[in-house]
Amino acid sequence: MGRFMARNLAKGGHTLTVFDTHKEAAEELLSQGASWADSPGSVAAASQVVFTALPRPQDVEAAALGDSGILSGAEQGVAYFDLSTTDPDTIHRIAAAAKSKGVHVLDAPVSGGVSGAEQATLCIMVGGNQSVYTSYKPLLELIGEKVLYCGEQGMGAVCKIVNNLINLGNYVLVSEALTLGLKSRCPDRNHV
C-alpha cells in the first residue's frame, strides 16, 4: 500500500525520499524521480514530513526509534505521520521520544485496502496535534478522500481499531445470517 500512497504524493507534485528494507520495492518510485535513502533516519534528515506504512507495531517502533530510525535524523519541526494500523501505546512511546527533539508525531492509520491506496480513496483517521494536522491535511488529501481529525495523540489508532472491530462484527453477522438462511431452505438442516 505504501508505494501507491507514495506514488499519489509524487503525482501531487511532491519530491520524495524513500526507504524500504527491500530496495526493489521502491524501484518504481525511484524510476519516477524519487531519491533513495539508506535508512529511515536518512529519510527524515532529508524531509519536512515523513510517512510510514508498516505491517506491525514492532516495525513502526523500530523505524521510528531504532539506531538509524526516523528520530535519529529528524530535525526540530519535522512532522511524522504513521499510516499503519498500530496501537495507542506504541504511538505514545514514539511521541514521547520525539517530543524532546521537537518532532511532531501523528497517528494516521488508513482504511480502504490496496485499491483505496492505489485510487487515493482511503479513509485516514488522524490523532495528534490539530494545528500540525491542519497544516498537512492537503498532503493527506492526496492519498485519501476521507481525512478525519479524531482528536489527541492515539485517537487515530483507536478509531482504526474500532473500525476493524465493526467490520469483523459485520462479517460474523453476515456469515450467521447466510447460514441461518441456508438452514431454513435446506431439507436436511444438519448439513449446512
Side-chain angles (χ1 to χ4, degrees), residues 43-68:
V43 169
S47 304
Q48 179 182 0
V49 60
V50 177
F51 293 95
T52 54
L54 299 165
R56 302 173 311 154
Q58 304 92 297
D59 300 324
V60 173
E61 201 157 5
L65 303 177
D67 290 338
S68 58

Side-chain angles (χ1 to χ4, degrees), residues 112-127:
V114 174
S115 65
E118 191 168 10
Q119 298 169 18
T121 58
L122 294 168
C123 176
I124 307 169
M125 297 154 269
V126 185

